[in-house]
Amino acid sequence: MSSTTASSDPFRPAKRVAGQKQDVWTIVNEAAQASPVQPIINMGQGFFGYNPPKFVTDAAKEALNKVECNQYSPTKGRPRLKKALADAYSPFFGRTLNPDTEVTITTGANEGMLSAFMGFIEPGDEVIIFEPFFDQYISNIEMPGGTVRYVPLQPPKDGATRTSSAADWTIDLDALEKAINPKTRMIVLNTPHNPIGKVFSRSELQAIGDLCVAHNIIILSDEVYDRLYYVPFTRMATLSPEIAKLTLTVGSGGKNFYCTGWRVGWLIGPENLIKYVSAAHTRICYSSVSPLQEAVAVGFEEADKEGFWEASKKEMKGKMDRFNEVFDELGLPYSDPEGGYFVLVNMRNVHLPADYTFPPHVASRPRDFKLSWFLIMELGVAAIPPTEFYTDRNAHMAEDYLRFAICKDDNVLEQAKERLRGLKRYMK
């Protein structure tokens, strides 16, 4: 045996997965299992507490009885779904989308974004993202060797004292422009935004798009909450032909139809970009789940006839408004969402007992992790600490907030509200 072989560790993990901090989902789940208050009301993760609409689940059941829907789909996606998406999105884009060259299906939006990064990012390339960010962006960019450049959205200065619109989280355009350099290959945008609930205004998108055109930067526009907006919503790719040429739009059947476990996503964009996303997707997982693609296709074909989009939006906005009543009652300010199904609540006025004991891996994290642990242990309500979606440098911007997901049954929301009223005894 050579000395080289003897000294090497065959079980040494790759750097891309080694040495990572314990993630927020593990910490929250650990606390939930240990909490003396059971059952836990999970307002943390953004999965739905109810089934997809019947016309979509019926389509899934029917697809399972078709031989062709139980076999591999084409790597770029089932023709029926690509056509359904092209038909649904062409009116928004103001032109007829080609389902064969401008649409590609992926195994969830997350894998679609990974495919976009794998398709375009080389070691040393840089990608700009806004803080707070969807945590998967970071590893997805770093996997192909990319470097992340962070530009924080600026929180409202009075966010700890009054409820204000999620629109009050603003872009520092000077900071964005300074982050651009010759290595910048791509910028990632999320609207409606998770976790803030901000819908970027047309003027904000135009300013970002103009910078990308000036510097020839690809725009990855994560629009997975595109059917849940409560103010006017602008799609990045619709701003101008020049911006459209640079834009990959990301969508999600799971978010659209309440089926996050189905993992059906897609990207829409110009042929010269989509073909490389498809090429990367082919190498990552080859193809996506056939019967569920078929069901999502039926979903898009039938949604308008069923009045689903407007009903879905109205239902979610009603849930949001009713749930946020408890924070109005408690005097806890929040960022009133313009879209999506998350709400950020400022908990600065919640005073944690000085002698409260937190495990070391929570005690060493920012205050929002302690707030999250405390709510789970004392009230039995799980919420997500948003500093998980920040760099250490900028985590102070969100250390007093918690993120709640309101895509739950109404009775669950009412139970959560009742438990949250227990915060009164920790407020002054």
Side-chain angles (χ1 to χ4, degrees), residues 20 73 88 125 138 146 164 175 192 197 218 221 226 238 240 252 287 294 301 312 337 339 348 357 368 379 391 403:
Q20 296 181 1
S73 286
D125 287 342
I138 310 307
S164 58
I218 296 170
S221 191
D226 70 333
T238 66
S240 72
S252 166
S287 67
E294 198 77 0
E301 291 167 359
S312 175
R348 184 177 294 180
T357 301
D368 60 332
L379 304 181
T391 56
R403 188 197 79 172

Side-chain angles (χ1 to χ4, degrees), residues 198-235:
K198 175 185 175 70
V199 171
F200 283 77
S201 70
R202 186 180 186 88
S203 61
E204 288 173 324
L205 295 176
Q206 187 70 56
I208 296 168
D210 288 345
L211 281 173
C212 291
V213 170
H215 296 277
N216 206 29
I217 298 168
I218 296 170
I219 303 164
L220 188 63
S221 191
D222 178 356
E223 299 178 11
V224 296
Y225 303 100
D226 70 333
R227 298 289 180 163
L228 294 172
Y229 56 88
Y230 319 125
V231 298
F233 170 59
T234 301
R235 300 170 189 276

Side-chain angles (χ1 to χ4, degrees), residues 149-319:
R149 295 295 176 203
Y150 301 91
V151 177
L153 294 174
Q154 300 300 310
K157 290 182 171 59
D158 55 358
T161 57
R162 74 175 185 93
T163 293
S164 58
S165 171
D168 291 347
W169 292 70
T170 56
I171 305 171
D172 183 338
L173 289 172
D174 289 338
L176 174 59
E177 191 161 13
K178 288 176 182 175
I180 296 172
N181 63 63
K183 295 181 180 179
T184 307
R185 192 78 192 278
M186 191 179 291
I187 186 168
V188 181
L189 180 77
N190 178 209
T191 180
H193 189 277
N194 169 20
I196 293 172
K198 175 185 175 70
V199 171
F200 283 77
S201 70
R202 186 180 186 88
S203 61
E204 288 173 324
L205 295 176
Q206 187 70 56
I208 296 168
D210 288 345
L211 281 173
C212 291
V213 170
H215 296 277
N216 206 29
I217 298 168
I218 296 170
I219 303 164
L220 188 63
S221 191
D222 178 356
E223 299 178 11
V224 296
Y225 303 100
D226 70 333
R227 298 289 180 163
L228 294 172
Y229 56 88
Y230 319 125
V231 298
F233 170 59
T234 301
R235 300 170 189 276
M236 174 61 90
T238 66
L239 290 173
S240 72
E242 294 76 19
I243 291 173
K245 288 177 183 177
L246 297 170
T247 302
L248 288 164
T249 300
V250 183
S252 166
K255 300 297 193 299
N256 287 166
F257 295 113
Y258 318 156
C259 49
T260 58
W262 286 16
R263 313 309 293 151
V264 177
W266 55 84
L267 275 78
I268 297 172
E271 179 180 4
N272 65 307
L273 298 183
I274 286 293
K275 67 181 180 180
Y276 296 114
V277 176
S278 298
H281 165 76
T282 301
R283 297 295 172 255
I284 293 168
C285 59
Y286 182 71
S287 67
S288 301
V289 182
S290 297
L292 302 183
Q293 286 190 59
E294 198 77 0
V296 172
V298 172
F300 274 97
E301 291 167 359
E302 300 296 323
D304 284 324
K305 303 172 195 173
E306 297 282 342
F308 174 72
W309 301 125
E310 285 305 313
S312 175
K313 191 189 308 181
K314 182 179 179 181
E315 179 186 36
M316 197 67 75
K317 184 66 167 70
K319 289 178 182 290

